[in-house]
Short mmCIF file of all heavy atoms in Angstrom, two decimals:
data_model
loop_
_atom_site.label_atom_id
_atom_site.label_comp_id
_atom_site.label_asym_id
_atom_site.label_seq_id
_atom_site.Cartn_x
_atom_site.Cartn_y
_atom_site.Cartn_z
N PHE A 1 -11.80 66.29 121.26
CA PHE A 1 -11.05 66.96 122.31
C PHE A 1 -11.95 67.90 123.13
O PHE A 1 -11.72 68.12 124.31
CB PHE A 1 -9.88 67.75 121.71
CG PHE A 1 -8.66 66.92 121.44
CD1 PHE A 1 -8.33 66.54 120.15
CD2 PHE A 1 -7.85 66.51 122.48
CE1 PHE A 1 -7.21 65.76 119.90
CE2 PHE A 1 -6.72 65.74 122.25
CZ PHE A 1 -6.40 65.35 120.95
N LEU A 2 -12.96 68.47 122.48
CA LEU A 2 -13.88 69.37 123.18
C LEU A 2 -14.91 68.62 124.02
O LEU A 2 -15.49 69.19 124.95
CB LEU A 2 -14.61 70.26 122.18
CG LEU A 2 -13.79 71.29 121.42
CD1 LEU A 2 -14.66 72.00 120.38
CD2 LEU A 2 -13.19 72.31 122.38
N LEU A 3 -15.14 67.35 123.69
CA LEU A 3 -16.22 66.59 124.31
C LEU A 3 -16.09 66.46 125.83
O LEU A 3 -17.09 66.66 126.54
CB LEU A 3 -16.31 65.20 123.66
CG LEU A 3 -17.54 64.36 124.06
CD1 LEU A 3 -18.81 65.10 123.67
CD2 LEU A 3 -17.48 62.99 123.38
N PRO A 4 -14.91 66.16 126.39
CA PRO A 4 -14.83 66.06 127.86
C PRO A 4 -15.20 67.36 128.56
O PRO A 4 -15.92 67.35 129.57
CB PRO A 4 -13.35 65.69 128.11
CG PRO A 4 -12.91 65.04 126.85
CD PRO A 4 -13.64 65.75 125.75
N GLY A 5 -14.71 68.48 128.03
CA GLY A 5 -15.07 69.76 128.63
C GLY A 5 -16.55 70.07 128.49
O GLY A 5 -17.17 70.61 129.41
N LEU A 6 -17.13 69.71 127.34
CA LEU A 6 -18.56 69.94 127.13
C LEU A 6 -19.40 69.10 128.08
O LEU A 6 -20.38 69.59 128.65
CB LEU A 6 -18.91 69.63 125.68
CG LEU A 6 -20.38 69.84 125.26
CD1 LEU A 6 -20.76 71.30 125.45
CD2 LEU A 6 -20.59 69.39 123.82
N ILE A 7 -19.01 67.84 128.27
CA ILE A 7 -19.73 66.97 129.19
C ILE A 7 -19.65 67.50 130.61
O ILE A 7 -20.65 67.54 131.35
CB ILE A 7 -19.18 65.52 129.11
CG1 ILE A 7 -19.48 64.92 127.73
CG2 ILE A 7 -19.77 64.66 130.21
CD1 ILE A 7 -18.86 63.56 127.52
N ALA A 8 -18.45 67.94 131.01
CA ALA A 8 -18.28 68.50 132.35
C ALA A 8 -19.12 69.76 132.53
O ALA A 8 -19.73 69.97 133.59
CB ALA A 8 -16.81 68.81 132.60
N PHE A 9 -19.18 70.60 131.49
CA PHE A 9 -19.99 71.82 131.56
C PHE A 9 -21.47 71.48 131.74
O PHE A 9 -22.17 72.10 132.55
CB PHE A 9 -19.78 72.66 130.30
CG PHE A 9 -20.71 73.83 130.19
CD1 PHE A 9 -20.51 74.97 130.95
CD2 PHE A 9 -21.80 73.79 129.33
CE1 PHE A 9 -21.37 76.05 130.85
CE2 PHE A 9 -22.66 74.87 129.22
CZ PHE A 9 -22.45 76.01 129.99
N ILE A 10 -21.96 70.49 130.99
CA ILE A 10 -23.37 70.12 131.07
C ILE A 10 -23.69 69.51 132.43
O ILE A 10 -24.72 69.83 133.04
CB ILE A 10 -23.73 69.14 129.93
CG1 ILE A 10 -23.63 69.86 128.58
CG2 ILE A 10 -25.13 68.58 130.13
CD1 ILE A 10 -23.82 68.94 127.39
N LEU A 11 -22.81 68.64 132.92
CA LEU A 11 -23.09 67.93 134.17
C LEU A 11 -22.94 68.81 135.40
O LEU A 11 -23.74 68.71 136.35
CB LEU A 11 -22.16 66.71 134.29
CG LEU A 11 -22.41 65.54 133.34
CD1 LEU A 11 -21.39 64.45 133.57
CD2 LEU A 11 -23.83 65.00 133.50
N PHE A 12 -21.93 69.67 135.40
CA PHE A 12 -21.59 70.39 136.62
C PHE A 12 -21.93 71.89 136.59
O PHE A 12 -21.79 72.56 137.62
CB PHE A 12 -20.10 70.21 136.94
CG PHE A 12 -19.70 68.79 137.13
CD1 PHE A 12 -18.91 68.15 136.19
CD2 PHE A 12 -20.13 68.07 138.23
CE1 PHE A 12 -18.54 66.82 136.35
CE2 PHE A 12 -19.76 66.75 138.41
CZ PHE A 12 -18.97 66.12 137.46
N THR A 13 -22.33 72.42 135.45
CA THR A 13 -22.69 73.84 135.37
C THR A 13 -24.09 74.04 134.82
O THR A 13 -25.00 74.48 135.55
CB THR A 13 -21.68 74.61 134.49
OG1 THR A 13 -20.36 74.43 135.01
CG2 THR A 13 -22.00 76.10 134.48
N LEU A 14 -24.29 73.71 133.56
CA LEU A 14 -25.60 73.93 132.95
C LEU A 14 -26.68 73.07 133.59
O LEU A 14 -27.79 73.55 133.86
CB LEU A 14 -25.52 73.63 131.45
CG LEU A 14 -26.81 73.88 130.65
CD1 LEU A 14 -27.22 75.35 130.74
CD2 LEU A 14 -26.61 73.47 129.19
N GLY A 15 -26.37 71.81 133.87
CA GLY A 15 -27.35 70.91 134.49
C GLY A 15 -27.83 71.42 135.84
O GLY A 15 -29.05 71.55 136.06
N PRO A 16 -26.92 71.72 136.79
CA PRO A 16 -27.37 72.24 138.08
C PRO A 16 -28.14 73.56 137.98
O PRO A 16 -29.07 73.80 138.75
CB PRO A 16 -26.06 72.43 138.85
CG PRO A 16 -25.14 71.43 138.25
CD PRO A 16 -25.49 71.39 136.80
N ILE A 17 -27.76 74.42 137.02
CA ILE A 17 -28.48 75.68 136.85
C ILE A 17 -29.93 75.42 136.46
O ILE A 17 -30.87 75.98 137.04
CB ILE A 17 -27.78 76.56 135.80
CG1 ILE A 17 -26.45 77.09 136.35
CG2 ILE A 17 -28.67 77.73 135.39
CD1 ILE A 17 -25.63 77.85 135.33
N LEU A 18 -30.12 74.57 135.47
CA LEU A 18 -31.48 74.24 135.02
C LEU A 18 -32.25 73.49 136.11
O LEU A 18 -33.45 73.72 136.30
CB LEU A 18 -31.42 73.41 133.74
CG LEU A 18 -30.83 74.12 132.52
CD1 LEU A 18 -30.78 73.18 131.33
CD2 LEU A 18 -31.61 75.38 132.17
N PHE A 19 -31.55 72.63 136.84
CA PHE A 19 -32.20 71.89 137.92
C PHE A 19 -32.68 72.83 139.02
O PHE A 19 -33.77 72.66 139.58
CB PHE A 19 -31.25 70.84 138.49
CG PHE A 19 -31.84 70.01 139.59
CD1 PHE A 19 -32.83 69.09 139.33
CD2 PHE A 19 -31.39 70.16 140.90
CE1 PHE A 19 -33.38 68.32 140.34
CE2 PHE A 19 -31.93 69.40 141.92
CZ PHE A 19 -32.93 68.47 141.64
N SER A 20 -31.86 73.84 139.34
CA SER A 20 -32.26 74.80 140.37
C SER A 20 -33.48 75.60 139.93
O SER A 20 -34.34 75.94 140.76
CB SER A 20 -31.10 75.75 140.70
OG SER A 20 -30.84 76.63 139.60
N LEU A 21 -33.57 75.89 138.63
CA LEU A 21 -34.75 76.60 138.13
C LEU A 21 -36.00 75.73 138.28
O LEU A 21 -37.07 76.23 138.66
CB LEU A 21 -34.54 76.98 136.66
CG LEU A 21 -35.72 77.69 135.98
CD1 LEU A 21 -36.04 79.00 136.68
CD2 LEU A 21 -35.41 77.94 134.50
N VAL A 22 -35.86 74.46 138.00
CA VAL A 22 -37.01 73.55 138.10
C VAL A 22 -37.47 73.42 139.54
O VAL A 22 -38.66 73.57 139.85
CB VAL A 22 -36.66 72.17 137.51
CG1 VAL A 22 -37.78 71.17 137.80
CG2 VAL A 22 -36.43 72.27 136.02
N ILE A 23 -36.52 73.17 140.46
CA ILE A 23 -36.94 72.92 141.84
C ILE A 23 -37.36 74.20 142.56
O ILE A 23 -37.89 74.13 143.67
CB ILE A 23 -35.83 72.22 142.65
CG1 ILE A 23 -34.61 73.13 142.82
CG2 ILE A 23 -35.45 70.90 142.02
CD1 ILE A 23 -33.58 72.54 143.78
N SER A 24 -37.12 75.36 141.94
CA SER A 24 -37.61 76.60 142.55
C SER A 24 -39.13 76.65 142.57
O SER A 24 -39.71 77.48 143.28
CB SER A 24 -37.05 77.82 141.81
OG SER A 24 -37.59 77.94 140.51
N PHE A 25 -39.77 75.78 141.80
CA PHE A 25 -41.23 75.69 141.77
C PHE A 25 -41.74 74.52 142.62
O PHE A 25 -42.90 74.15 142.53
CB PHE A 25 -41.73 75.55 140.34
CG PHE A 25 -41.40 76.71 139.46
CD1 PHE A 25 -40.30 76.67 138.61
CD2 PHE A 25 -42.16 77.87 139.50
CE1 PHE A 25 -39.98 77.74 137.80
CE2 PHE A 25 -41.85 78.96 138.69
CZ PHE A 25 -40.75 78.90 137.84
N PHE A 26 -40.86 73.96 143.44
CA PHE A 26 -41.23 72.83 144.29
C PHE A 26 -40.89 73.13 145.74
O PHE A 26 -40.04 73.96 146.05
CB PHE A 26 -40.47 71.56 143.86
CG PHE A 26 -40.95 70.96 142.57
CD1 PHE A 26 -40.53 71.48 141.35
CD2 PHE A 26 -41.82 69.89 142.57
CE1 PHE A 26 -40.96 70.94 140.15
CE2 PHE A 26 -42.25 69.33 141.38
CZ PHE A 26 -41.83 69.85 140.17
N ASP A 27 -41.58 72.43 146.63
CA ASP A 27 -41.24 72.43 148.05
C ASP A 27 -40.49 71.13 148.30
O ASP A 27 -41.05 70.03 148.23
CB ASP A 27 -42.52 72.48 148.89
CG ASP A 27 -42.21 72.52 150.38
OD1 ASP A 27 -41.04 72.74 150.74
OD2 ASP A 27 -43.13 72.30 151.19
N TRP A 28 -39.17 71.26 148.60
CA TRP A 28 -38.32 70.08 148.72
C TRP A 28 -37.29 70.30 149.81
O TRP A 28 -36.58 71.29 149.81
CB TRP A 28 -37.61 69.82 147.37
CG TRP A 28 -36.82 68.57 147.32
CD1 TRP A 28 -37.13 67.38 147.90
CD2 TRP A 28 -35.56 68.39 146.66
NE1 TRP A 28 -36.16 66.45 147.64
CE2 TRP A 28 -35.17 67.03 146.88
CE3 TRP A 28 -34.73 69.20 145.91
CZ2 TRP A 28 -33.99 66.51 146.37
CZ3 TRP A 28 -33.56 68.69 145.40
CH2 TRP A 28 -33.20 67.35 145.62
N ASN A 29 -37.25 69.37 150.77
CA ASN A 29 -36.33 69.49 151.90
C ASN A 29 -35.25 68.42 151.91
O ASN A 29 -34.60 68.20 152.94
CB ASN A 29 -37.10 69.46 153.21
CG ASN A 29 -37.84 68.15 153.41
OD1 ASN A 29 -37.71 67.22 152.62
ND2 ASN A 29 -38.64 68.08 154.47
N LEU A 30 -35.05 67.71 150.81
CA LEU A 30 -34.04 66.66 150.64
C LEU A 30 -34.41 65.34 151.31
O LEU A 30 -33.87 64.29 150.96
CB LEU A 30 -32.67 67.10 151.17
CG LEU A 30 -31.94 68.22 150.43
CD1 LEU A 30 -30.61 68.52 151.11
CD2 LEU A 30 -31.69 67.84 148.97
N PHE A 31 -35.32 65.36 152.28
CA PHE A 31 -35.66 64.15 153.02
C PHE A 31 -37.00 63.57 152.59
O PHE A 31 -37.37 62.48 153.05
CB PHE A 31 -35.67 64.44 154.52
CG PHE A 31 -34.37 64.99 155.03
CD1 PHE A 31 -34.24 66.33 155.33
CD2 PHE A 31 -33.27 64.17 155.18
CE1 PHE A 31 -33.03 66.84 155.79
CE2 PHE A 31 -32.06 64.67 155.64
CZ PHE A 31 -31.94 66.01 155.96
N SER A 32 -37.71 64.27 151.75
CA SER A 32 -38.99 63.78 151.24
C SER A 32 -39.10 64.18 149.78
O SER A 32 -38.31 65.00 149.28
CB SER A 32 -40.16 64.36 152.05
OG SER A 32 -40.17 65.78 151.95
N GLY A 33 -40.05 63.60 149.10
CA GLY A 33 -40.22 63.88 147.69
C GLY A 33 -40.62 65.33 147.44
O GLY A 33 -41.32 65.94 148.25
N PRO A 34 -40.17 65.91 146.32
CA PRO A 34 -40.56 67.29 146.00
C PRO A 34 -42.05 67.41 145.70
O PRO A 34 -42.64 66.52 145.08
CB PRO A 34 -39.71 67.62 144.77
CG PRO A 34 -39.38 66.30 144.16
CD PRO A 34 -39.30 65.32 145.28
N VAL A 35 -42.62 68.50 146.15
CA VAL A 35 -44.05 68.78 145.94
C VAL A 35 -44.17 70.05 145.11
O VAL A 35 -43.63 71.10 145.50
CB VAL A 35 -44.79 68.93 147.28
CG1 VAL A 35 -46.26 69.26 147.03
CG2 VAL A 35 -44.65 67.67 148.12
N PHE A 36 -44.87 69.97 144.00
CA PHE A 36 -45.03 71.14 143.13
C PHE A 36 -45.90 72.19 143.82
O PHE A 36 -47.02 71.89 144.26
CB PHE A 36 -45.64 70.73 141.81
CG PHE A 36 -45.82 71.86 140.84
CD1 PHE A 36 -44.72 72.44 140.21
CD2 PHE A 36 -47.08 72.36 140.55
CE1 PHE A 36 -44.87 73.48 139.33
CE2 PHE A 36 -47.24 73.41 139.67
CZ PHE A 36 -46.14 73.97 139.05
N VAL A 37 -45.38 73.42 143.91
CA VAL A 37 -46.13 74.49 144.57
C VAL A 37 -46.29 75.71 143.66
O VAL A 37 -46.62 76.80 144.13
CB VAL A 37 -45.42 74.91 145.88
CG1 VAL A 37 -45.49 73.80 146.91
CG2 VAL A 37 -43.99 75.34 145.62
N ASP A 38 -46.01 75.53 142.37
CA ASP A 38 -46.14 76.61 141.39
C ASP A 38 -45.20 77.77 141.79
O ASP A 38 -44.03 77.56 142.00
CB ASP A 38 -47.59 77.05 141.28
CG ASP A 38 -47.88 77.78 139.97
OD1 ASP A 38 -46.98 77.83 139.10
OD2 ASP A 38 -48.98 78.30 139.81
N THR A 39 -45.72 78.98 141.91
CA THR A 39 -44.88 80.14 142.23
C THR A 39 -44.94 80.52 143.71
O THR A 39 -44.62 81.65 144.07
CB THR A 39 -45.31 81.36 141.38
OG1 THR A 39 -46.69 81.67 141.68
CG2 THR A 39 -45.16 81.08 139.90
#
């Protein structure tokens, strides 16, 4: 019963949060591939 809520949390909350942390170290404009720029 907890699994659907857990999956939704990972996909729509925790996942985007971690993804935003990762891409904060990249130069990415959505129209081209991300380029790692460190800090």
Side-chain angles (χ1 to χ4, degrees):
F1 277 104
L2 293 175
L3 189 60
L6 181 61
I7 294 174
F9 172 76
I10 293 174
L11 290 178
F12 301 110
T13 303
L14 183 61
I17 289 174
L18 296 178
F19 181 69
S20 70
L21 178 61
V22 172
I23 66 172
S24 69
F25 298 98
F26 287 81
D27 182 13
W28 186 37
N29 62 5
L30 292 179
F31 303 104
S32 61
V35 179
F36 181 72
V37 293
D38 201 7
T39 60

